[in-house]
Amino acid sequence: MNNKKIIYVLVFFSALFLSLAVYLTTVGVYKKSEYAKKDLGRSLKRETTVLRGDIYDKNGEKLAYTKIEKNKATRVYPYKNLYSHLIGYYTEKRGSSLLENRYTNALNSASVSDDVVKIASFLNNKKAKGSDLYLTVDHRLQKRCSEILSPYKEGAIIVSNPKTGEIYAMVSKPDFDPNENNLYKNWDKMSTDDKLFPFLTRATQGLYAPGSTYKIVTGAAMLKSGHSSFTVEDKGKIEINGTTIKNAKSKAYGNLNFESAFAHSSNVYFALAGIDMGKSALYEASESFMMNKDFNIHDFYLARSVFPEKIEYDDSLALASIGQDKVLLSPMHLNLITCAIANDGKMPEPYLVLKVKSNLDGTEKTTSQKMLKQVLDAQYAQIIKDNMKTAVESGTGGGAAIFGKNICGKTGTAENEKTDENPNLTHSWFTSFAPYENPEVCVTVLLAYSGSSSLAAAAARQVYASYYNIFK
């Protein structure tokens, strides 16, 4: 009789366990998408049950976490402004942005039902916690890049791996404090500031005239279309259809070929070269480098860059060939173009999240490296690469040189909407990679409305010095 009772009890609990297993499977697997669609308000309420996951740099430095006081969850950003344009913010009243928004399901474990979370909390005798994010960013380098950029009101610095697409640092100015109290206090002012608009991530969403850095693309177009043998007598300036195009300080360089023109960054040469090869060749090369294309990048939104689809006059074509007229791109896009040159013509997909680690079962999901596309044949990429090396060794990029590091780069000084009022308010650009033999790091600097490209080259030199001090 006692044996029968034991059997009945075992059958009852087995059935109960089986029912629970079926329920959890149904909720956790088949209704996963349904739970993932719950709004932010519900997500925030769940933090009384689930503590939102932390965010760390690649070395385990904590960059964001949640504290709960008096049953209220508050997101904390210990480094304040430093990651405002990379991690973003997460609040009850203002929602979320950037990585906090894109990874909210993982951070909140929103794909797992509340019942599952409660059971896990009960079994572990502690509050369940969402998954943690580990970024590709190195906190030391991020901090140093912010310090280098701090003297300038607007700009961006990006440090990446040209082979993998990992982003080691990404800083944009102006920035803001994403901590809840400061965010609420300054929200109205920041959201209506149409001059600075600190919520705009300049590195990925800001579009600027690239100036002479675009000669990388124009040079690629010349190589692809068979116009690299083009030569010019550079007298310092030219006039095309009433438009005057001149070199920096109207300096005349004399007889120039492709290599010498690239090293000196001759506007006269590349303007005339653009006309010589024609708009079709330049347009085709530009689109190959993802101009006028939408990017499908998982970790952040990258603004669509602009190359004019209709160029009717030679002066417009000449200006577009030197990165002026209506040509606009973001610092991140220029960084990707530079990565492609360093990487045998292959443009990597950039990413910020190295891995997502579950606090429920300890499993880790590592981001797989991807290529966006082959934008240029390897043989042509090698020629541009050689010329970028010369530009730093004996050309306009000399301010970025560090002995023994073989840095390759291209300068750019770009006129813009403010230049007519003040000719000194040009965009200062420098984009580069190192070392020449086996590129491992790509650095792009934009100092908006700041003057000569020599400033950006000098800033890039400081970035490289910090990179080699940290990683070597």
Side-chain angles (χ1 to χ4, degrees), residues 126-427:
K126 63 180 181 179
K127 187 184 297 295
K129 186 179 179 182
S131 297
D132 294 333
L133 301 186
Y134 286 81
L135 307 186
T136 59
V137 173
D138 185 285
H139 172 66
R140 298 164 296 177
L141 188 60
Q142 178 81 0
K143 182 180 178 182
R144 183 66 186 122
C145 286
S146 181
E147 293 169 350
I148 293 168
L149 193 57
S150 62
Y152 303 94
K153 291 182 179 180
E154 182 175 343
I157 295 177
I158 300 164
V159 185
S160 65
N161 185 320
K163 294 179 180 178
T164 66
E166 293 173 82
I167 297 174
Y168 298 141
M170 187 174 78
V171 178
S172 295
K173 300 285 183 179
D175 51 27
F176 61 95
D177 186 344
N179 285 291
E180 186 175 287
N181 288 340
N182 281 293
L183 191 67
Y184 290 172
K185 178 181 177 181
N186 300 309
W187 183 271
D188 290 340
K189 181 181 177 181
M190 292 192 296
S191 59
T192 57
D193 187 345
D194 58 358
K195 291 184 178 180
L196 292 178
F197 195 59
F199 290 133
L200 179 69
T201 302
R202 265 62 176 187
T204 58
Q205 298 172 8
L207 294 177
Y208 301 87
S212 291
T213 61
Y214 205 71
K215 291 168 185 173
I216 294 172
V217 178
T218 303
M222 293 174 67
L223 292 167
K224 290 176 67 175
S225 62
H227 287 78
S228 59
S229 60
F230 183 72
T231 60
V232 161
E233 173 69 22
D234 183 351
K235 297 181 180 181
K237 61 181 179 180
I238 53 172
E239 187 172 309
I240 304 171
N241 293 345
T243 300
T244 299
I245 296 176
K246 58 184 179 181
N247 298 329
K249 299 180 181 179
S250 298
K251 187 173 182 179
Y253 294 106
N255 292 321
L256 293 178
N257 58 16
F258 183 88
E259 289 76 15
S260 56
F262 198 98
H264 293 302
S265 196
S266 168
N267 288 334
V268 171
Y269 177 91
F270 281 96
L272 292 173
I275 295 173
D276 181 69
M277 68 176 164
K279 59 184 178 182
S280 295
L282 184 58
Y283 184 81
E284 180 183 333
S286 296
E287 290 223 319
S288 179
F289 277 96
M290 300 291 288
M291 298 294 288
N292 299 329
K293 302 291 185 182
D294 291 324
F295 289 87
N296 184 21
I297 294 171
H298 185 269
D299 286 354
F300 54 85
Y301 168 74
L302 181 55
R304 180 186 177 111
S305 296
V306 178
F307 186 86
E309 296 185 14
K310 292 183 179 180
I311 300 178
E312 298 181 3
Y313 304 104
D314 283 351
D315 57 333
S316 294
L317 178 57
L319 288 169
S321 299
I322 59 172
Q324 295 286 177
D325 194 44
K326 298 177 182 178
V327 181
L328 298 170
L329 51 69
S330 65
M332 177 57 73
H333 191 176
L334 181 59
N335 184 269
L336 293 177
I337 289 172
T338 310
C339 285
I341 299 300
N343 195 34
D344 298 325
K346 297 186 290 291
M347 183 180 285
E349 179 177 328
Y351 64 101
L352 287 166
V353 176
L354 188 65
K355 64 181 179 181
V356 179
K357 182 178 180 180
S358 171
N359 283 300
L360 292 176
D361 57 14
T363 57
E364 297 181 0
K365 183 179 180 182
T366 304
T367 301
S368 57
Q369 298 164 5
K370 300 176 183 177
M371 288 296 147
L372 289 175
K373 66 176 293 190
Q374 180 87 33
V375 299
L376 187 66
D377 289 348
Q379 58 178 335
Y380 299 141
Q382 182 63 47
I383 294 173
I384 300 295
K385 182 179 174 182
D386 293 341
N387 281 276
M388 291 177 71
K389 180 174 183 286
T390 303
V392 175
E393 287 180 341
S394 57
T396 57
I402 296 177
F403 180 77
K405 301 305 180 184
N406 290 337
I407 295 169
C408 309
K410 184 70 194 76
T411 54
T413 303
E415 296 182 357
N416 54 73
E417 74 280 2
K418 295 184 180 181
T419 313
D420 289 340
E421 300 175 6
N422 185 340
N424 295 318
L425 297 180
T426 50
H427 297 325

Side-chain angles (χ1 to χ4, degrees), residues 56-62 134-135 137-140 354 470-471:
Y56 299 89
D57 86 331
K58 65 188 304 178
N59 300 310
E61 184 74 23
K62 189 178 290 187
Y134 286 81
L135 307 186
V137 173
D138 185 285
H139 172 66
R140 298 164 296 177
L354 188 65
I470 291 170
F471 288 89

